[in-house]
Structure formats: structure tokens, C-alpha cells
Amino acid sequence: MSEAAQPTERVRTEKVGQVMVIHLDDGKANVLSPSTMVLINAALDAAEADPEVGAVVLHGRPGVFSGGFDLSVMRSGDLSAIVTMVADGGALVRRLFGLSLPVVAACTGHALAAGALVLLGCDVRVARQPDGTTNHRIGLNEVAIGMVLPQWAMTIATERLSKRHLQRAIVNARITDEVGALEAGYLDELVPADAVFDTAMARATELAAMLHRGAYIRTVREFRGPVLERMDAQIAADRAVGTSPV
């Protein structure tokens, strides 16, 4: 059914028909560490460079889509490293939102902070219908842990989240299960837990077969262009802060 999987330490790619699958599994919380983001970007490079690929699936590990940025870096006290990691995260979310291919997220569990922002960068987001046994948490918890969302994060959140839920999602750091995340705008579709990946693959396969790649790229530039440009400027400003002398 698929070509041989290409293993890396935490990121594994697999080409299935016209879909490039990016499997994320660090064995723990699927944190967006600097090195993991490099691997994800390399996988996206490969997808965009392959003329046979028409869509991407971003797939989390069992129980966790992504727990957000690497806390070992966030707590290191190294301002330059922190700013760089957060800016790189913004660049990754911006890249997903502006990618030349549609991206479908197979949200396999918790998606917090930067993990939730990654969901906002994807075209279609599929997660499991809660079954009453496990409570997965999705949302932007920055204010609750003493942080302020960067401007680029507020921009993508404002663009993708329901206006009715925006204040609670950002200012009140509201965390929900998948049902609440669907209503707020983090997710698009809920299915039985054992159908999340297969449904994401089906949606990606449909998009790959249906959409004209050139027209998709041009439409993304036209429709999402102002948001992408705003995010570019905000990420660049964040990087400038990180390189300024103290």
C-alpha cells in the first residue's frame, strides 16, 4: 500500500499514494523542540518537492498530538534560545498555513499551547469523539502558566477560531475536550478513536485527488496572504528581539 517508511529519531515520513504522512512520536509529549521542528520542516520540504504528492497528513502519537514547546528550553533561562524556538514555532505554523499542499491533522490526543497552534495552521483537523473514559485537553493555556501569546499566535488564532470563543480561548486560557475544541474552531471533525488516522487519510486523499495544485497555491496566496504577511512581520520582529544586545 505504501512506500517504505523513512525513519528518523522523532519524525517518520511515509508516502501513501498521493499523501505524504508525517508521523510525530517522541515517546512522550511530542514537544516541538528545535530539533524536532527541523525534522518536520525537512519532511514538508520533501512533500512540496515531490510532484506526486497532493496532500500532507500530520499524525500524532497515541494520546498526544503535541504538548507544545520544549519546556527544557522554556525553563533554561537562555533568552536567545527561548525566543528562537518560539519564533521557529511561529514559522512552522505559518508554513503549514501557507503550504503549497493542503494539510490534514490527525489529532490523536492532547494538543496544548503550540500544539493547538499547529492545529490552527492545518486545513482540516480530525480528532476522536470523546468516549467518557479519557479526557484529552486542547487549547491555549499560556495565560494560565504565566505567559503571553506572541503576536503571530494571536493572529492565527483570530483567523481560525470562532469569534464567539476567541476571548475565552486566548484571554481566559480555556482548555476543552474535543467537543469543545470542535465548537471553538480547533477541530473540524470528530470520529471514533480508532478511525482518526484513517479518516484523516481519507480527507487528505480526497483533497489530493480533487484540488488542482497550482490553483490551490494561488488561492492560498490570495485568500490567506494578508494573514501570512502579518505573521511574517511578527515573527521577524520576535527574532529581532532575540538578537538585540541586552
Side-chain angles (χ1 to χ4, degrees):
M1 177 181 177
S2 65
E3 296 184 359
Q6 302 299 314
T8 61
E9 187 176 358
R10 285 141 291 177
V11 178
R12 180 171 59 88
T13 62
E14 179 184 14
K15 185 177 171 184
V16 183
Q18 292 181 280
V19 178
M20 181 70 80
V21 185
I22 303 175
H23 300 281
L24 308 179
D25 190 348
D26 64 4
K28 298 179 182 179
N30 266 359
V31 298
L32 295 176
S33 66
S35 57
T36 294
M37 287 189 284
V38 168
L39 293 173
I40 295 172
N41 275 303
L44 294 173
D45 288 341
E48 289 193 298
D50 190 336
E52 296 180 353
V53 172
V56 172
V57 166
L58 198 57
H59 177 223
R61 70 184 305 271
V64 182
F65 181 69
S66 174
F69 288 126
D70 188 342
L71 290 180
S72 69
V73 177
M74 297 299 288
R75 295 168 176 166
S76 68
D78 185 337
L79 178 61
S80 178
I82 295 168
V83 169
T84 298
M85 182 177 69
V86 173
D88 287 348
L92 176 60
V93 173
R94 184 260 181 238
R95 183 176 187 186
L96 292 169
F97 198 53
L99 202 71
S100 63
L101 301 164
V103 182
V104 178
C107 182
T108 50
H110 304 297
L112 291 170
L117 293 168
V118 167
L119 289 178
L120 297 182
C122 298
D123 291 74
V124 180
R125 294 76 50 89
V126 180
R128 56 130 218 189
Q129 178 72 45
D131 56 12
T133 61
T134 304
N135 183 27
H136 290 149
R137 304 169 71 234
I138 297 174
L140 303 171
N141 63 337
E142 279 79 359
V143 174
I145 60 175
M147 299 176 62
V148 177
L149 276 170
Q151 287 292 321
W152 62 261
M154 293 191 189
T155 294
I156 190 72
T158 300
E159 179 69 14
R160 297 302 310 274
L161 291 176
S162 163
K163 183 173 177 59
R164 187 165 65 88
H165 291 268
L166 197 56
Q167 291 288 330
R168 293 191 70 189
I170 294 177
V171 180
N172 300 142
R174 183 170 181 252
I175 304 301
T176 72
D177 65 5
E178 289 91 341
V179 173
L182 178 70
E183 186 176 351
Y186 293 105
L187 300 172
D188 296 298
E189 185 174 0
L190 301 184
V191 298
D194 60 0
V196 170
F197 178 69
D198 287 345
T199 303
M201 286 296 299
R203 300 296 172 262
T205 299
E206 290 166 4
L207 291 171
M210 178 180 65
L211 300 179
H212 182 282
R213 186 164 178 173
Y216 177 82
I217 295 169
R218 292 193 296 274
T219 301
V220 164
R221 290 173 181 166
E222 290 294 324
F223 188 65
R224 300 176 181 171
V227 173
L228 296 171
E229 291 173 5
R230 193 176 312 127
M231 291 180 73
D232 283 336
Q234 291 164 340
I235 293 164
D238 286 351
R239 292 195 193 281
V241 169
T243 58
S244 297
V246 177

